[in-house]
Short mmCIF file of all heavy atoms in Angstrom, two decimals:
data_model
loop_
_atom_site.label_atom_id
_atom_site.label_comp_id
_atom_site.label_asym_id
_atom_site.label_seq_id
_atom_site.Cartn_x
_atom_site.Cartn_y
_atom_site.Cartn_z
N VAL J 133 -21.47 50.58 -18.82
CA VAL J 133 -20.34 49.63 -18.84
C VAL J 133 -20.95 48.12 -18.42
O VAL J 133 -19.99 47.38 -18.27
CB VAL J 133 -19.10 49.99 -17.99
CG1 VAL J 133 -18.61 51.51 -18.39
CG2 VAL J 133 -19.59 50.09 -16.47
N ASP J 134 -22.13 47.96 -18.53
CA ASP J 134 -22.72 46.70 -18.14
C ASP J 134 -22.25 46.09 -16.90
O ASP J 134 -21.90 44.91 -16.80
CB ASP J 134 -22.44 45.69 -19.33
CG ASP J 134 -23.34 44.50 -19.37
OD1 ASP J 134 -24.51 44.57 -18.76
OD2 ASP J 134 -22.88 43.50 -19.94
N ALA J 135 -22.28 46.92 -15.86
CA ALA J 135 -21.89 46.57 -14.51
C ALA J 135 -23.09 46.39 -13.62
O ALA J 135 -24.02 47.19 -13.65
CB ALA J 135 -20.91 47.52 -14.02
N ASP J 136 -22.99 45.50 -12.64
CA ASP J 136 -23.92 45.36 -11.56
C ASP J 136 -23.54 46.44 -10.57
O ASP J 136 -22.57 46.37 -9.95
CB ASP J 136 -23.82 43.94 -10.96
CG ASP J 136 -24.75 43.74 -9.91
OD1 ASP J 136 -25.37 44.72 -9.37
OD2 ASP J 136 -25.04 42.52 -9.59
N PRO J 137 -24.56 47.25 -10.25
CA PRO J 137 -24.25 48.35 -9.23
C PRO J 137 -23.64 47.73 -7.81
O PRO J 137 -22.79 48.34 -7.40
CB PRO J 137 -25.49 48.98 -9.02
CG PRO J 137 -26.33 48.93 -10.21
CD PRO J 137 -25.85 47.46 -10.83
N SER J 138 -24.17 46.68 -7.45
CA SER J 138 -23.68 46.08 -6.22
C SER J 138 -22.29 45.64 -6.25
O SER J 138 -21.53 45.24 -5.29
CB SER J 138 -24.55 44.99 -5.81
OG SER J 138 -24.32 43.68 -6.57
N ARG J 139 -21.70 45.55 -7.55
CA ARG J 139 -20.36 45.17 -7.79
C ARG J 139 -19.51 46.33 -8.30
O ARG J 139 -18.41 46.10 -8.92
CB ARG J 139 -20.26 43.96 -8.65
CG ARG J 139 -20.98 42.72 -8.18
CD ARG J 139 -20.84 41.51 -8.92
NE ARG J 139 -19.56 41.49 -9.59
CZ ARG J 139 -18.56 41.12 -8.83
NH1 ARG J 139 -18.54 40.78 -7.62
NH2 ARG J 139 -17.33 41.21 -9.47
N CYS J 140 -19.99 47.61 -7.94
CA CYS J 140 -19.22 48.68 -8.36
C CYS J 140 -18.73 49.54 -7.16
O CYS J 140 -19.61 49.64 -6.17
CB CYS J 140 -20.18 49.53 -9.29
SG CYS J 140 -20.23 49.06 -10.92
N VAL J 141 -17.67 50.09 -7.40
CA VAL J 141 -17.04 50.97 -6.30
C VAL J 141 -17.15 52.47 -6.83
O VAL J 141 -16.76 52.75 -7.98
CB VAL J 141 -15.74 50.61 -6.02
CG1 VAL J 141 -15.08 51.69 -4.97
CG2 VAL J 141 -15.69 49.14 -5.37
N VAL J 142 -17.61 53.33 -5.92
CA VAL J 142 -17.70 54.77 -6.17
C VAL J 142 -16.75 55.47 -5.22
O VAL J 142 -16.73 55.15 -3.97
CB VAL J 142 -19.06 55.42 -5.90
CG1 VAL J 142 -18.98 56.80 -6.25
CG2 VAL J 142 -19.98 54.66 -6.85
N ILE J 143 -15.59 56.15 -5.80
CA ILE J 143 -14.68 56.89 -4.99
C ILE J 143 -14.88 58.43 -5.11
O ILE J 143 -14.92 58.93 -6.25
CB ILE J 143 -13.19 56.41 -5.44
CG1 ILE J 143 -12.96 54.94 -5.17
CG2 ILE J 143 -12.13 57.25 -4.74
CD1 ILE J 143 -11.64 54.42 -5.86
N GLY J 144 -15.06 58.99 -4.01
CA GLY J 144 -15.29 60.40 -3.92
C GLY J 144 -14.86 61.15 -2.76
O GLY J 144 -14.32 60.42 -1.76
N ASP J 145 -14.98 62.46 -2.72
CA ASP J 145 -14.37 63.20 -1.66
C ASP J 145 -15.40 63.71 -0.59
O ASP J 145 -14.88 64.41 0.29
CB ASP J 145 -13.43 64.35 -2.13
CG ASP J 145 -14.26 65.52 -2.90
OD1 ASP J 145 -15.14 65.04 -3.60
OD2 ASP J 145 -13.95 66.60 -2.59
N ILE J 146 -16.73 63.64 -0.92
CA ILE J 146 -17.67 64.23 0.03
C ILE J 146 -18.79 63.14 0.35
O ILE J 146 -18.82 62.16 -0.42
CB ILE J 146 -18.20 65.49 -0.31
CG1 ILE J 146 -18.97 65.39 -1.73
CG2 ILE J 146 -17.07 66.64 -0.58
CD1 ILE J 146 -19.65 66.67 -2.14
N GLY J 147 -19.55 63.47 1.34
CA GLY J 147 -20.61 62.53 1.65
C GLY J 147 -21.59 62.27 0.53
O GLY J 147 -22.07 61.13 0.58
N SER J 148 -21.92 63.24 -0.33
CA SER J 148 -22.84 62.96 -1.37
C SER J 148 -22.39 61.93 -2.32
O SER J 148 -23.15 61.22 -2.82
CB SER J 148 -23.30 64.19 -2.05
OG SER J 148 -22.20 64.74 -2.78
N ASP J 149 -21.07 61.73 -2.47
CA ASP J 149 -20.53 60.74 -3.37
C ASP J 149 -20.81 59.30 -2.71
O ASP J 149 -21.37 58.38 -3.38
CB ASP J 149 -19.07 60.87 -3.61
CG ASP J 149 -18.67 62.15 -4.24
OD1 ASP J 149 -19.30 62.46 -5.14
OD2 ASP J 149 -17.72 62.77 -3.71
N VAL J 150 -20.66 59.25 -1.49
CA VAL J 150 -20.82 57.97 -0.75
C VAL J 150 -22.32 57.72 -0.62
O VAL J 150 -22.87 56.47 -0.77
CB VAL J 150 -20.24 58.00 0.76
CG1 VAL J 150 -20.56 56.76 1.56
CG2 VAL J 150 -18.63 58.26 0.69
N ASP J 151 -23.13 58.70 -0.39
CA ASP J 151 -24.56 58.54 -0.35
C ASP J 151 -25.10 58.14 -1.76
O ASP J 151 -26.13 57.31 -1.84
CB ASP J 151 -25.19 59.91 0.13
CG ASP J 151 -24.89 60.03 1.57
OD1 ASP J 151 -24.45 59.20 2.22
OD2 ASP J 151 -25.05 61.24 2.16
N ALA J 152 -24.68 58.75 -2.76
CA ALA J 152 -25.05 58.31 -4.13
C ALA J 152 -24.69 56.88 -4.30
O ALA J 152 -25.55 56.13 -4.96
CB ALA J 152 -24.40 59.14 -5.25
N ALA J 153 -23.47 56.43 -4.01
CA ALA J 153 -23.26 55.01 -4.17
C ALA J 153 -24.16 54.16 -3.35
O ALA J 153 -24.69 53.21 -3.90
CB ALA J 153 -21.73 54.72 -3.58
N ARG J 154 -24.41 54.45 -2.03
CA ARG J 154 -25.33 53.67 -1.28
C ARG J 154 -26.70 53.59 -1.94
O ARG J 154 -27.36 52.58 -2.00
CB ARG J 154 -25.56 54.33 0.04
CG ARG J 154 -24.43 53.88 1.11
CD ARG J 154 -24.86 54.18 2.47
NE ARG J 154 -23.68 54.03 3.24
CZ ARG J 154 -22.99 55.18 4.00
NH1 ARG J 154 -23.65 56.31 4.04
NH2 ARG J 154 -21.97 54.84 4.78
N ALA J 155 -27.17 54.72 -2.47
CA ALA J 155 -28.50 54.86 -2.96
C ALA J 155 -28.73 54.04 -4.18
O ALA J 155 -29.80 53.44 -4.61
CB ALA J 155 -28.97 56.32 -3.32
N ALA J 156 -27.62 53.84 -5.02
CA ALA J 156 -27.57 53.05 -6.17
C ALA J 156 -27.31 51.48 -5.76
O ALA J 156 -27.29 50.71 -6.74
CB ALA J 156 -26.57 53.54 -7.23
N GLY J 157 -26.92 51.22 -4.54
CA GLY J 157 -26.59 49.82 -4.21
C GLY J 157 -25.12 49.57 -4.45
O GLY J 157 -24.85 48.41 -4.44
N ALA J 158 -24.41 50.52 -4.67
CA ALA J 158 -22.92 50.35 -4.95
C ALA J 158 -22.10 50.59 -3.73
O ALA J 158 -22.74 50.91 -2.51
CB ALA J 158 -22.39 51.35 -6.02
N VAL J 159 -20.90 50.47 -3.70
CA VAL J 159 -20.04 50.53 -2.59
C VAL J 159 -19.25 51.82 -2.68
O VAL J 159 -18.59 52.22 -3.67
CB VAL J 159 -19.03 49.34 -2.58
CG1 VAL J 159 -17.98 49.50 -1.47
CG2 VAL J 159 -19.65 48.08 -2.43
N GLY J 160 -19.31 52.63 -1.58
CA GLY J 160 -18.61 53.92 -1.59
C GLY J 160 -17.40 53.87 -0.82
O GLY J 160 -17.25 53.19 0.26
N ILE J 161 -16.25 54.59 -1.37
CA ILE J 161 -15.03 54.83 -0.54
C ILE J 161 -14.82 56.31 -0.62
O ILE J 161 -14.81 56.96 -1.68
CB ILE J 161 -13.83 54.13 -1.18
CG1 ILE J 161 -14.15 52.55 -1.31
CG2 ILE J 161 -12.59 54.47 -0.45
CD1 ILE J 161 -12.88 51.83 -1.99
N LEU J 162 -14.74 56.93 0.68
CA LEU J 162 -14.42 58.37 0.83
C LEU J 162 -13.00 58.56 0.92
O LEU J 162 -12.24 57.92 1.67
CB LEU J 162 -15.09 58.81 2.06
CG LEU J 162 -15.13 60.34 2.31
CD1 LEU J 162 -15.95 61.10 1.31
CD2 LEU J 162 -15.46 60.62 3.74
N VAL J 163 -12.48 59.47 0.07
CA VAL J 163 -11.03 59.97 0.24
C VAL J 163 -11.17 61.44 0.56
O VAL J 163 -11.42 62.29 -0.35
CB VAL J 163 -10.34 59.76 -1.18
CG1 VAL J 163 -8.82 60.31 -0.98
CG2 VAL J 163 -10.27 58.26 -1.45
N PRO J 164 -11.14 61.76 1.88
CA PRO J 164 -11.34 63.12 2.30
C PRO J 164 -10.31 64.09 1.79
O PRO J 164 -9.08 63.76 1.59
CB PRO J 164 -11.37 63.07 3.77
CG PRO J 164 -11.49 61.67 4.05
CD PRO J 164 -10.82 61.00 2.91
N THR J 165 -10.77 65.34 1.67
CA THR J 165 -9.88 66.60 1.29
C THR J 165 -9.92 67.38 2.61
O THR J 165 -10.84 67.16 3.43
CB THR J 165 -10.12 67.38 0.12
OG1 THR J 165 -11.23 68.08 0.36
CG2 THR J 165 -10.25 66.41 -1.05
N PRO J 166 -9.04 68.34 2.73
CA PRO J 166 -9.30 69.25 3.91
C PRO J 166 -10.79 69.98 3.82
O PRO J 166 -11.18 70.35 4.89
CB PRO J 166 -8.23 70.33 3.61
CG PRO J 166 -7.15 69.62 2.96
CD PRO J 166 -7.81 68.63 2.00
N ALA J 167 -11.45 69.86 2.66
CA ALA J 167 -12.64 70.64 2.70
C ALA J 167 -13.75 69.62 3.06
O ALA J 167 -14.93 70.03 3.19
CB ALA J 167 -12.93 71.05 1.20
N THR J 168 -13.50 68.30 3.20
CA THR J 168 -14.47 67.29 3.55
C THR J 168 -14.97 67.55 5.03
O THR J 168 -14.16 67.75 5.93
CB THR J 168 -14.01 65.87 3.38
OG1 THR J 168 -13.35 65.81 2.17
CG2 THR J 168 -15.10 64.94 3.60
N ARG J 169 -16.17 67.65 5.18
CA ARG J 169 -16.85 67.78 6.53
C ARG J 169 -16.51 66.72 7.52
O ARG J 169 -16.69 65.44 7.01
CB ARG J 169 -18.27 68.24 6.62
CG ARG J 169 -18.61 69.38 5.59
CD ARG J 169 -19.74 70.10 6.04
NE ARG J 169 -20.86 69.25 6.33
CZ ARG J 169 -21.93 68.99 5.25
NH1 ARG J 169 -21.88 69.53 4.11
NH2 ARG J 169 -22.80 68.10 5.69
N PRO J 170 -16.10 66.96 8.71
CA PRO J 170 -15.89 65.84 9.59
C PRO J 170 -16.97 64.79 9.72
O PRO J 170 -16.79 63.72 9.88
CB PRO J 170 -15.60 66.49 11.01
CG PRO J 170 -15.14 67.95 10.73
CD PRO J 170 -15.91 68.20 9.38
N GLU J 171 -18.33 65.34 9.75
CA GLU J 171 -19.42 64.40 9.89
C GLU J 171 -19.52 63.46 8.69
O GLU J 171 -20.00 62.35 8.86
CB GLU J 171 -20.72 65.18 10.22
CG GLU J 171 -21.12 66.13 9.12
CD GLU J 171 -20.57 67.55 9.38
OE1 GLU J 171 -19.45 67.72 10.04
OE2 GLU J 171 -21.32 68.43 9.03
N GLU J 172 -19.03 63.93 7.55
CA GLU J 172 -19.16 62.97 6.45
C GLU J 172 -18.12 61.91 6.57
O GLU J 172 -18.35 60.87 5.97
CB GLU J 172 -18.84 63.93 5.20
CG GLU J 172 -19.96 64.89 4.92
CD GLU J 172 -19.73 65.71 3.65
OE1 GLU J 172 -18.58 66.06 3.37
OE2 GLU J 172 -20.71 66.19 3.04
N ILE J 173 -17.00 62.25 7.11
CA ILE J 173 -15.98 61.19 7.32
C ILE J 173 -16.44 60.15 8.37
O ILE J 173 -16.30 58.93 8.28
CB ILE J 173 -14.73 62.00 7.80
CG1 ILE J 173 -14.11 62.88 6.79
CG2 ILE J 173 -13.55 60.84 8.07
CD1 ILE J 173 -12.89 63.69 7.19
N VAL J 174 -17.09 60.56 9.45
CA VAL J 174 -17.60 59.79 10.45
C VAL J 174 -18.71 58.89 9.76
O VAL J 174 -18.74 57.64 9.96
CB VAL J 174 -18.29 60.51 11.62
CG1 VAL J 174 -18.98 59.55 12.52
CG2 VAL J 174 -17.08 61.27 12.31
N ALA J 175 -19.60 59.49 9.00
CA ALA J 175 -20.67 58.69 8.34
C ALA J 175 -20.25 57.72 7.27
O ALA J 175 -20.81 56.71 7.02
CB ALA J 175 -21.70 59.66 7.72
N ALA J 176 -19.15 57.84 6.61
CA ALA J 176 -18.65 57.08 5.58
C ALA J 176 -18.23 55.67 6.15
O ALA J 176 -17.53 55.64 7.21
CB ALA J 176 -17.49 57.71 4.76
N GLY J 177 -18.64 54.60 5.50
CA GLY J 177 -18.24 53.33 6.03
C GLY J 177 -16.89 52.98 5.67
O GLY J 177 -16.16 52.07 6.45
N HIS J 178 -16.27 53.49 4.74
CA HIS J 178 -15.00 53.24 4.25
C HIS J 178 -14.17 54.43 3.83
O HIS J 178 -14.54 55.18 2.90
CB HIS J 178 -15.01 52.25 3.05
CG HIS J 178 -13.72 51.70 2.59
ND1 HIS J 178 -13.63 50.56 1.81
CD2 HIS J 178 -12.43 52.09 2.84
CE1 HIS J 178 -12.36 50.24 1.53
NE2 HIS J 178 -11.62 51.21 2.18
N VAL J 179 -13.26 54.73 4.46
CA VAL J 179 -12.35 56.03 4.23
C VAL J 179 -10.89 55.54 4.00
O VAL J 179 -10.28 54.74 4.72
CB VAL J 179 -12.36 56.87 5.50
CG1 VAL J 179 -11.55 58.14 5.17
CG2 VAL J 179 -13.91 57.26 5.80
N GLU J 180 -10.35 56.19 3.01
CA GLU J 180 -8.92 55.93 2.71
C GLU J 180 -8.28 57.30 2.56
O GLU J 180 -8.87 58.32 2.26
CB GLU J 180 -8.76 55.23 1.34
CG GLU J 180 -9.35 53.86 1.40
CD GLU J 180 -8.60 52.76 2.08
OE1 GLU J 180 -7.40 53.14 2.63
OE2 GLU J 180 -9.04 51.74 2.46
N PRO J 181 -6.96 57.38 2.91
CA PRO J 181 -6.21 58.63 2.96
C PRO J 181 -6.02 59.36 1.65
O PRO J 181 -5.84 60.57 1.59
CB PRO J 181 -4.93 58.26 3.72
CG PRO J 181 -4.73 56.87 3.38
CD PRO J 181 -6.20 56.27 3.39
#
Side-chain angles (χ1 to χ4, degrees):
V133 297
D134 196 24
D136 178 344
S138 72
R139 299 184 35 74
C140 283
V141 174
V142 179
I143 298 174
D145 67 316
I146 63 172
S148 68
D149 298 312
V150 174
D151 291 344
R154 281 198 187 115
V159 176
I161 298 178
L162 184 73
V163 178
T165 72
T168 307
R169 301 206 313 262
E171 59 267 33
E172 295 178 329
I173 299 173
V174 171
H178 187 161
V179 180
E180 296 289 349

